[in-house]
Amino acid sequence: VSTQRTWDIRMRIHSILLILFLASQIQAWTAVPHMIIYAIAKRDIKASVWKRMEQLFGYMKENDANYKEFYEMAVWAEDVKLAKMNAFDGWHIFNQHYPVGIPSCKSVVNKLNCVIHTITSTKSLLARETGDVEFHKSLMLRYFINLVGDMHQPMHEITRCTADLPEGDKGGKLFYLGNTNLHALWDDAMGTQIPKIKRPLDNDGVLHIEQWATTLIKAHPRSHFEKELKMTDLYKMAKQIYDTAIQYAYQGVTNNTAPSLDYLKTRFPICTRMMALAGYRLADWLNANLVQILVIQQPIQYFCLLYTSDAADDTPCVDLGGRRIIKKK
């Protein structure tokens, strides 16, 4: 890699991190459920795996001042979305079709640019024993922590298609509920009981997250998920979460009408159950897939972007292992 190209790539990375820094400052109030999921997972993560995670986080530590508390790594990917870096948006969803009143949806289910494909690819990346992709692992570990949570949010696994919206409602984002929408309501776990927590986290914020993790573990212990935790097919998991969206998210609400208090009350336990399951699966997948061999740390001499300018609009050409950037035309 030429000196000039190395410098250009470093400048691009630094620009991305600057955008994330500014985004996290603007955001102030953030996605607490993601941090709670991470707190649940951390209690089951092996010590050797956690040590390896700390090493990977360390590769960008000097640029991660706003993520000094490890719980905040769970929302790093949320800050990317807030910074309008839309090339990665598909990684957070799997738009399984739910046609209502019409025979089929007009949109396409993209299985190469979805949360299932990204999680699968990242598992493979984290399991690689070679030390030549440390920066990729550092970046994708941050995404992995966030995406496992997103996968278990029912509105990330579905798009409802109607005559008015034949291409879908974008996971409930176009299903309006007064001053919010169905997707945002489920993202926020109904927004009635879990408090907003300001970032950067202070001691009180950390305490709130850990207390909620304890509450959810007591309400939904690992023993309640024996069947789910034995599943290995991510598409079957996604189908179950899709069914949850149909049964609980879309039922009992009307478009352009605020949700009832009964809806908020009865759906909150569904949200917390999915959060607990996400935390247990996150821990299990990290324990099973993250290579625990500590790499001898050396100064990183170059960076390799997952997306080049030529590939940014052609997501299937990206290989998360870093082996292929542009696919042959």
Side-chain angles (χ1 to χ4, degrees):
V1 181
S2 68
T3 302
Q4 182 59 47
R5 177 147 181 82
T6 300
W7 174 255
D8 290 343
I9 293 174
R10 284 185 176 182
M11 289 305 295
R12 290 186 191 183
I13 293 293
H14 291 162
S15 297
I16 291 171
L17 293 168
L18 176 60
I19 290 171
L20 294 185
F21 172 77
L22 295 175
S24 60
Q25 294 297 311
I26 294 170
Q27 189 170 359
W29 303 103
T30 185
V32 179
H34 274 294
M35 292 191 282
I36 295 173
I37 290 168
Y38 191 19
I40 292 171
K42 187 177 184 297
R43 302 185 187 194
D44 288 339
I45 294 174
K46 297 176 183 177
S48 57
V49 173
W50 180 250
K51 188 174 183 180
R52 178 69 171 120
M53 290 171 66
E54 287 184 317
Q55 183 187 37
L56 288 172
F57 287 148
Y59 287 125
M60 293 166 57
K61 188 175 182 180
E62 69 278 9
N63 297 303
D64 273 349
N66 242 33
Y67 308 91
K68 61 181 181 179
E69 292 292 344
F70 64 86
Y71 294 131
E72 291 175 285
M73 291 298 178
V75 295
W76 195 92
E78 297 299 313
D79 291 342
V80 173
K81 288 194 296 182
L82 188 66
K84 305 300 182 183
M85 298 178 68
N86 299 323
F88 304 95
D89 286 356
W91 290 4
H92 297 264
I93 62 173
F94 183 38
N95 59 334
Q96 298 172 94
H97 290 165
Y98 173 39
V100 177
I102 58 174
S104 62
C105 300
K106 291 188 176 181
S107 57
V108 176
V109 179
N110 191 340
K111 291 188 177 183
L112 291 177
N113 183 33
C114 70
V115 67
I116 305 301
H117 181 266
T118 309
I119 287 176
T120 301
S121 299
T122 304
K123 282 184 177 182
S124 177
L125 172 65
L126 295 177
R128 289 179 63 180
E129 295 185 7
T130 57
D132 60 340
V133 288
E134 288 294 278
F135 181 77
H136 288 168
K137 288 183 179 181
S138 178
L139 178 66
M140 292 312 299
L141 177 59
R142 290 162 166 80
Y143 264 101
F144 189 75
I145 292 166
N146 180 268
L147 296 181
V148 173
D150 277 347
M151 175 185 167
H152 290 80
Q153 203 276 64
M155 302 310 298
H156 282 245
E157 300 290 342
I158 194 170
T159 188
R160 181 177 181 266
C161 307
T162 61
D164 292 334
L165 296 170
E167 294 188 359
D169 65 358
K170 297 184 178 180
K173 291 180 180 179
L174 301 179
F175 194 109
Y176 300 107
L177 302 170
N179 62 354
T180 187
N181 62 68
L182 194 60
H183 185 103
L185 185 67
W186 281 77
D187 261 351
D188 204 26
M190 301 297 113
T192 57
Q193 297 190 46
I194 297 177
K196 305 293 185 182
I197 299 176
K198 193 173 182 178
R199 286 176 53 205
L201 290 179
D202 56 19
N203 291 337
D204 287 340
V206 172
L207 181 62
H208 278 304
I209 290 168
E210 292 178 345
Q211 287 175 339
W212 270 102
T214 299
T215 298
L216 266 58
I217 290 171
K218 289 181 179 179
H220 310 287
R222 179 179 277 269
S223 59
H224 287 185
F225 300 98
E226 290 185 5
K227 184 177 179 180
E228 289 95 332
L229 293 175
K230 290 179 180 178
M231 296 177 67
T232 57
D233 188 326
L234 267 68
Y235 287 101
K236 289 183 179 180
M237 298 178 200
K239 178 59 168 61
Q240 285 189 348
I241 300 166
Y242 164 90
D243 291 340
T244 298
I246 294 176
Q247 183 177 357
Y248 295 104
Y250 284 105
Q251 303 303 316
V253 286
T254 304
N255 197 18
N256 295 315
T257 304
S260 67
L261 292 177
D262 182 69
Y263 181 91
L264 300 177
K265 179 181 179 180
T266 55
R267 271 50 175 187
F268 180 71
I270 307 300
C271 291
T272 57
R273 184 182 187 280
M274 298 309 298
M275 290 166 62
L277 177 57
Y280 299 139
R281 278 181 172 156
L282 175 58
D284 289 352
W285 291 347
L286 286 170
N287 287 335
N289 292 279
L290 184 59
V291 172
Q292 299 169 37
I293 301 172
L294 290 179
V295 175
I296 298 176
Q297 287 189 318
Q298 297 177 348
I300 296 179
Q301 300 299 324
Y302 62 90
F303 297 103
C304 179
L305 293 178
L306 293 177
Y307 280 82
T308 68
S309 58
D310 294 327
D313 296 323
D314 191 10
T315 50
C317 73
V318 176
D319 180 84
L320 298 183
R323 295 181 293 274
R324 184 179 72 254
I325 299 299
I326 305 294
K327 69 176 181 181
K328 295 181 180 179
K329 301 294 184 181

mmCIF file of all heavy atoms in Angstrom, residues 184-215:
data_model
loop_
_atom_site.group_PDB
_atom_site.id
_atom_site.type_symbol
_atom_site.label_atom_id
_atom_site.label_comp_id
_atom_site.label_asym_id
_atom_site.label_seq_id
_atom_site.Cartn_x
_atom_site.Cartn_y
_atom_site.Cartn_z
ATOM 1 N N ALA A 184 -40.439 3.046 15.911
ATOM 2 C CA ALA A 184 -39.789 3.786 17.004
ATOM 3 C C ALA A 184 -40.332 3.364 18.355
ATOM 4 O O ALA A 184 -39.589 3.289 19.345
ATOM 5 C CB ALA A 184 -39.974 5.284 16.795
ATOM 6 N N LEU A 185 -41.621 3.079 18.426
ATOM 7 C CA LEU A 185 -42.233 2.667 19.691
ATOM 8 C C LEU A 185 -41.612 1.372 20.194
ATOM 9 O O LEU A 185 -41.279 1.246 21.387
ATOM 10 C CB LEU A 185 -43.743 2.490 19.494
ATOM 11 C CG LEU A 185 -44.551 2.174 20.751
ATOM 12 C CD1 LEU A 185 -44.558 3.362 21.711
ATOM 13 C CD2 LEU A 185 -45.985 1.784 20.380
ATOM 14 N N TRP A 186 -41.409 0.408 19.295
ATOM 15 C CA TRP A 186 -40.797 -0.860 19.695
ATOM 16 C C TRP A 186 -39.299 -0.716 19.908
ATOM 17 O O TRP A 186 -38.727 -1.373 20.781
ATOM 18 C CB TRP A 186 -41.122 -1.951 18.671
ATOM 19 C CG TRP A 186 -42.507 -2.487 18.862
ATOM 20 C CD1 TRP A 186 -43.685 -1.878 18.494
ATOM 21 C CD2 TRP A 186 -42.879 -3.702 19.501
ATOM 22 N NE1 TRP A 186 -44.761 -2.647 18.860
ATOM 23 C CE2 TRP A 186 -44.300 -3.782 19.478
ATOM 24 C CE3 TRP A 186 -42.168 -4.752 20.076
ATOM 25 C CZ2 TRP A 186 -44.993 -4.863 20.021
ATOM 26 C CZ3 TRP A 186 -42.864 -5.838 20.620
ATOM 27 C CH2 TRP A 186 -44.259 -5.877 20.587
ATOM 28 N N ASP A 187 -38.649 0.149 19.149
ATOM 29 C CA ASP A 187 -37.236 0.449 19.401
ATOM 30 C C ASP A 187 -37.040 0.952 20.824
ATOM 31 O O ASP A 187 -36.031 0.661 21.473
ATOM 32 C CB ASP A 187 -36.737 1.522 18.428
ATOM 33 C CG ASP A 187 -35.973 0.942 17.249
ATOM 34 O OD1 ASP A 187 -35.676 -0.276 17.260
ATOM 35 O OD2 ASP A 187 -35.664 1.703 16.319
ATOM 36 N N ASP A 188 -38.009 1.703 21.303
ATOM 37 C CA ASP A 188 -37.921 2.342 22.612
ATOM 38 C C ASP A 188 -38.577 1.498 23.707
ATOM 39 O O ASP A 188 -38.795 1.984 24.816
ATOM 40 C CB ASP A 188 -38.584 3.716 22.546
ATOM 41 C CG ASP A 188 -38.071 4.677 23.603
ATOM 42 O OD1 ASP A 188 -36.921 4.503 24.047
ATOM 43 O OD2 ASP A 188 -38.820 5.590 23.997
ATOM 44 N N ALA A 189 -38.890 0.221 23.385
ATOM 45 C CA ALA A 189 -39.527 -0.687 24.358
ATOM 46 C C ALA A 189 -40.765 -0.060 24.990
ATOM 47 O O ALA A 189 -40.960 -0.081 26.203
ATOM 48 C CB ALA A 189 -38.528 -1.113 25.436
ATOM 49 N N MET A 190 -41.593 0.535 24.168
ATOM 50 C CA MET A 190 -42.850 1.190 24.530
ATOM 51 C C MET A 190 -42.634 2.549 25.191
ATOM 52 O O MET A 190 -43.574 3.313 25.366
ATOM 53 C CB MET A 190 -43.745 0.312 25.424
ATOM 54 C CG MET A 190 -44.126 -1.012 24.809
ATOM 55 S SD MET A 190 -45.102 -0.876 23.302
ATOM 56 C CE MET A 190 -43.967 -1.514 22.067
ATOM 57 N N GLY A 191 -41.432 2.863 25.589
ATOM 58 C CA GLY A 191 -41.105 4.199 26.076
ATOM 59 C C GLY A 191 -41.785 4.636 27.354
ATOM 60 O O GLY A 191 -41.831 5.829 27.655
ATOM 61 N N THR A 192 -42.290 3.694 28.134
ATOM 62 C CA THR A 192 -43.048 4.077 29.330
ATOM 63 C C THR A 192 -42.349 3.745 30.641
ATOM 64 O O THR A 192 -42.604 4.395 31.648
ATOM 65 C CB THR A 192 -44.429 3.375 29.338
ATOM 66 O OG1 THR A 192 -44.224 1.951 29.259
ATOM 67 C CG2 THR A 192 -45.273 3.823 28.154
ATOM 68 N N GLN A 193 -41.465 2.751 30.641
ATOM 69 C CA GLN A 193 -40.877 2.310 31.900
ATOM 70 C C GLN A 193 -39.353 2.441 31.953
ATOM 71 O O GLN A 193 -38.803 2.860 32.970
ATOM 72 C CB GLN A 193 -41.283 0.851 32.177
ATOM 73 C CG GLN A 193 -42.793 0.669 32.345
ATOM 74 C CD GLN A 193 -43.147 -0.710 32.859
ATOM 75 O OE1 GLN A 193 -42.545 -1.210 33.800
ATOM 76 N NE2 GLN A 193 -44.130 -1.343 32.230
ATOM 77 N N ILE A 194 -38.678 2.089 30.876
ATOM 78 C CA ILE A 194 -37.218 2.204 30.853
ATOM 79 C C ILE A 194 -36.852 3.672 30.647
ATOM 80 O O ILE A 194 -37.255 4.277 29.652
ATOM 81 C CB ILE A 194 -36.618 1.334 29.743
ATOM 82 C CG1 ILE A 194 -36.911 -0.148 30.008
ATOM 83 C CG2 ILE A 194 -35.113 1.562 29.636
ATOM 84 C CD1 ILE A 194 -36.411 -1.086 28.936
ATOM 85 N N PRO A 195 -36.113 4.270 31.551
ATOM 86 C CA PRO A 195 -35.832 5.709 31.459
ATOM 87 C C PRO A 195 -34.814 6.026 30.376
ATOM 88 O O PRO A 195 -34.015 5.174 29.977
ATOM 89 C CB PRO A 195 -35.267 6.031 32.848
ATOM 90 C CG PRO A 195 -34.603 4.760 33.276
ATOM 91 C CD PRO A 195 -35.475 3.657 32.738
ATOM 92 N N LYS A 196 -34.867 7.268 29.905
ATOM 93 C CA LYS A 196 -33.825 7.757 29.012
ATOM 94 C C LYS A 196 -32.568 7.996 29.848
ATOM 95 O O LYS A 196 -32.640 8.429 30.987
ATOM 96 C CB LYS A 196 -34.253 9.065 28.350
ATOM 97 C CG LYS A 196 -35.571 8.999 27.603
ATOM 98 C CD LYS A 196 -35.466 8.102 26.391
ATOM 99 C CE LYS A 196 -36.758 8.133 25.585
ATOM 100 N NZ LYS A 196 -36.719 7.230 24.426
ATOM 101 N N ILE A 197 -31.419 7.714 29.268
ATOM 102 C CA ILE A 197 -30.149 7.887 29.982
ATOM 103 C C ILE A 197 -29.215 8.722 29.126
ATOM 104 O O ILE A 197 -28.996 8.419 27.950
ATOM 105 C CB ILE A 197 -29.507 6.523 30.313
ATOM 106 C CG1 ILE A 197 -30.435 5.712 31.222
ATOM 107 C CG2 ILE A 197 -28.149 6.715 30.968
ATOM 108 C CD1 ILE A 197 -29.932 4.315 31.521
ATOM 109 N N LYS A 198 -28.678 9.766 29.704
ATOM 110 C CA LYS A 198 -27.833 10.690 28.963
ATOM 111 C C LYS A 198 -26.438 10.117 28.754
ATOM 112 O O LYS A 198 -25.898 9.419 29.602
ATOM 113 C CB LYS A 198 -27.741 12.022 29.713
ATOM 114 C CG LYS A 198 -27.149 13.150 28.881
ATOM 115 C CD LYS A 198 -27.248 14.476 29.614
ATOM 116 C CE LYS A 198 -26.710 15.616 28.765
ATOM 117 N NZ LYS A 198 -26.850 16.924 29.448
ATOM 118 N N ARG A 199 -25.883 10.407 27.575
ATOM 119 C CA ARG A 199 -24.511 10.046 27.263
ATOM 120 C C ARG A 199 -23.663 11.296 27.156
ATOM 121 O O ARG A 199 -24.166 12.355 26.820
ATOM 122 C CB ARG A 199 -24.465 9.289 25.920
ATOM 123 C CG ARG A 199 -24.975 7.872 26.002
ATOM 124 C CD ARG A 199 -24.988 7.228 24.624
ATOM 125 N NE ARG A 199 -23.682 7.334 23.966
ATOM 126 C CZ ARG A 199 -23.533 7.314 22.630
ATOM 127 N NH1 ARG A 199 -24.577 7.199 21.845
ATOM 128 N NH2 ARG A 199 -22.336 7.403 22.107
ATOM 129 N N PRO A 200 -22.361 11.155 27.378
ATOM 130 C CA PRO A 200 -21.638 9.960 27.845
ATOM 131 C C PRO A 200 -22.150 9.491 29.206
ATOM 132 O O PRO A 200 -22.593 10.299 30.024
ATOM 133 C CB PRO A 200 -20.190 10.427 27.930
ATOM 134 C CG PRO A 200 -20.104 11.647 27.076
ATOM 135 C CD PRO A 200 -21.439 12.286 27.177
ATOM 136 N N LEU A 201 -22.098 8.195 29.422
ATOM 137 C CA LEU A 201 -22.631 7.627 30.649
ATOM 138 C C LEU A 201 -21.857 8.098 31.871
ATOM 139 O O LEU A 201 -20.627 8.149 31.862
ATOM 140 C CB LEU A 201 -22.578 6.095 30.592
ATOM 141 C CG LEU A 201 -23.528 5.388 29.617
ATOM 142 C CD1 LEU A 201 -23.301 3.891 29.688
ATOM 143 C CD2 LEU A 201 -24.982 5.724 29.908
ATOM 144 N N ASP A 202 -22.597 8.412 32.926
ATOM 145 C CA ASP A 202 -21.972 8.658 34.222
ATOM 146 C C ASP A 202 -22.272 7.464 35.119
ATOM 147 O O ASP A 202 -22.855 6.461 34.675
ATOM 148 C CB ASP A 202 -22.470 9.973 34.836
ATOM 149 C CG ASP A 202 -23.991 10.030 34.981
ATOM 150 O OD1 ASP A 202 -24.644 8.952 34.954
ATOM 151 O OD2 ASP A 202 -24.545 11.139 35.128
ATOM 152 N N ASN A 203 -21.870 7.534 36.373
ATOM 153 C CA ASN A 203 -22.058 6.397 37.283
ATOM 154 C C ASN A 203 -23.527 6.044 37.459
ATOM 155 O O ASN A 203 -23.888 4.864 37.539
ATOM 156 C CB ASN A 203 -21.426 6.708 38.644
ATOM 157 C CG ASN A 203 -19.913 6.760 38.582
ATOM 158 O OD1 ASN A 203 -19.300 6.184 37.686
ATOM 159 N ND2 ASN A 203 -19.298 7.463 39.521
ATOM 160 N N ASP A 204 -24.390 7.055 37.516
ATOM 161 C CA ASP A 204 -25.828 6.786 37.655
ATOM 162 C C ASP A 204 -26.368 6.076 36.419
ATOM 163 O O ASP A 204 -27.214 5.174 36.530
ATOM 164 C CB ASP A 204 -26.591 8.094 37.883
ATOM 165 C CG ASP A 204 -26.371 8.662 39.275
ATOM 166 O OD1 ASP A 204 -25.964 7.886 40.173
ATOM 167 O OD2 ASP A 204 -26.602 9.876 39.469
ATOM 168 N N GLY A 205 -25.894 6.477 35.246
ATOM 169 C CA GLY A 205 -26.345 5.832 34.021
ATOM 170 C C GLY A 205 -25.947 4.371 33.977
ATOM 171 O O GLY A 205 -26.757 3.506 33.609
ATOM 172 N N VAL A 206 -24.726 4.081 34.344
ATOM 173 C CA VAL A 206 -24.259 2.696 34.395
ATOM 174 C C VAL A 206 -25.086 1.888 35.389
ATOM 175 O O VAL A 206 -25.493 0.753 35.111
ATOM 176 C CB VAL A 206 -22.767 2.643 34.764
ATOM 177 C CG1 VAL A 206 -22.322 1.203 35.024
ATOM 178 C CG2 VAL A 206 -21.925 3.265 33.659
ATOM 179 N N LEU A 207 -25.369 2.482 36.541
ATOM 180 C CA LEU A 207 -26.159 1.798 37.561
ATOM 181 C C LEU A 207 -27.559 1.466 37.052
ATOM 182 O O LEU A 207 -28.059 0.353 37.264
ATOM 183 C CB LEU A 207 -26.243 2.668 38.818
ATOM 184 C CG LEU A 207 -27.027 2.076 39.998
ATOM 185 C CD1 LEU A 207 -26.373 0.779 40.479
ATOM 186 C CD2 LEU A 207 -27.100 3.087 41.147
ATOM 187 N N HIS A 208 -28.187 2.408 36.351
ATOM 188 C CA HIS A 208 -29.524 2.163 35.802
ATOM 189 C C HIS A 208 -29.500 0.999 34.817
ATOM 190 O O HIS A 208 -30.384 0.134 34.841
ATOM 191 C CB HIS A 208 -30.049 3.426 35.107
ATOM 192 C CG HIS A 208 -30.651 4.431 36.027
ATOM 193 N ND1 HIS A 208 -31.680 4.137 36.893
ATOM 194 C CD2 HIS A 208 -30.364 5.754 36.220
ATOM 195 C CE1 HIS A 208 -32.011 5.213 37.579
ATOM 196 N NE2 HIS A 208 -31.226 6.212 37.198
ATOM 197 N N ILE A 209 -28.508 0.973 33.941
ATOM 198 C CA ILE A 209 -28.409 -0.093 32.949
ATOM 199 C C ILE A 209 -28.238 -1.449 33.637
ATOM 200 O O ILE A 209 -28.909 -2.430 33.297
ATOM 201 C CB ILE A 209 -27.231 0.181 31.985
ATOM 202 C CG1 ILE A 209 -27.564 1.377 31.100
ATOM 203 C CG2 ILE A 209 -26.920 -1.047 31.126
ATOM 204 C CD1 ILE A 209 -26.390 1.917 30.337
ATOM 205 N N GLU A 210 -27.361 -1.518 34.629
ATOM 206 C CA GLU A 210 -27.117 -2.784 35.323
ATOM 207 C C GLU A 210 -28.335 -3.221 36.128
ATOM 208 O O GLU A 210 -28.635 -4.419 36.217
ATOM 209 C CB GLU A 210 -25.886 -2.641 36.204
ATOM 210 C CG GLU A 210 -24.598 -2.484 35.385
ATOM 211 C CD GLU A 210 -23.369 -2.285 36.242
ATOM 212 O OE1 GLU A 210 -23.525 -1.973 37.445
ATOM 213 O OE2 GLU A 210 -22.243 -2.444 35.711
ATOM 214 N N GLN A 211 -29.050 -2.268 36.715
ATOM 215 C CA GLN A 211 -30.258 -2.617 37.460
ATOM 216 C C GLN A 211 -31.332 -3.178 36.527
ATOM 217 O O GLN A 211 -32.013 -4.150 36.873
ATOM 218 C CB GLN A 211 -30.780 -1.387 38.209
ATOM 219 C CG GLN A 211 -29.943 -0.999 39.417
ATOM 220 C CD GLN A 211 -30.410 0.285 40.070
ATOM 221 O OE1 GLN A 211 -31.093 1.117 39.456
ATOM 222 N NE2 GLN A 211 -30.061 0.466 41.343
ATOM 223 N N TRP A 212 -31.476 -2.578 35.353
ATOM 224 C CA TRP A 212 -32.461 -3.079 34.407
ATOM 225 C C TRP A 212 -32.054 -4.445 33.865
ATOM 226 O O TRP A 212 -32.908 -5.311 33.638
ATOM 227 C CB TRP A 212 -32.673 -2.084 33.266
ATOM 228 C CG TRP A 212 -33.766 -1.106 33.586
ATOM 229 C CD1 TRP A 212 -33.634 0.187 33.997
ATOM 230 C CD2 TRP A 212 -35.169 -1.381 33.558
ATOM 231 N NE1 TRP A 212 -34.872 0.744 34.225
ATOM 232 C CE2 TRP A 212 -35.836 -0.192 33.949
ATOM 233 C CE3 TRP A 212 -35.938 -2.487 33.239
ATOM 234 C CZ2 TRP A 212 -37.224 -0.100 34.037
ATOM 235 C CZ3 TRP A 212 -37.330 -2.402 33.312
ATOM 236 C CH2 TRP A 212 -37.952 -1.230 33.701
ATOM 237 N N ALA A 213 -30.777 -4.672 33.669
ATOM 238 C CA ALA A 213 -30.319 -5.997 33.239
ATOM 239 C C ALA A 213 -30.689 -7.045 34.280
ATOM 240 O O ALA A 213 -31.182 -8.129 33.941
ATOM 241 C CB ALA A 213 -28.803 -5.974 33.008
ATOM 242 N N THR A 214 -30.482 -6.722 35.551
ATOM 243 C CA THR A 214 -30.848 -7.640 36.628
ATOM 244 C C THR A 214 -32.349 -7.900 36.637
ATOM 245 O O THR A 214 -32.806 -9.044 36.790
ATOM 246 C CB THR A 214 -30.414 -7.060 37.985
ATOM 247 O OG1 THR A 214 -28.995 -6.898 38.001
ATOM 248 C CG2 THR A 214 -30.824 -7.974 39.129
ATOM 249 N N THR A 215 -33.141 -6.854 36.455
ATOM 250 C CA THR A 215 -34.603 -6.980 36.431
ATOM 251 C C THR A 215 -35.061 -7.894 35.304
ATOM 252 O O THR A 215 -35.915 -8.771 35.506
ATOM 253 C CB THR A 215 -35.258 -5.593 36.273
ATOM 254 O OG1 THR A 215 -34.915 -4.779 37.394
ATOM 255 C CG2 THR A 215 -36.771 -5.713 36.184
#
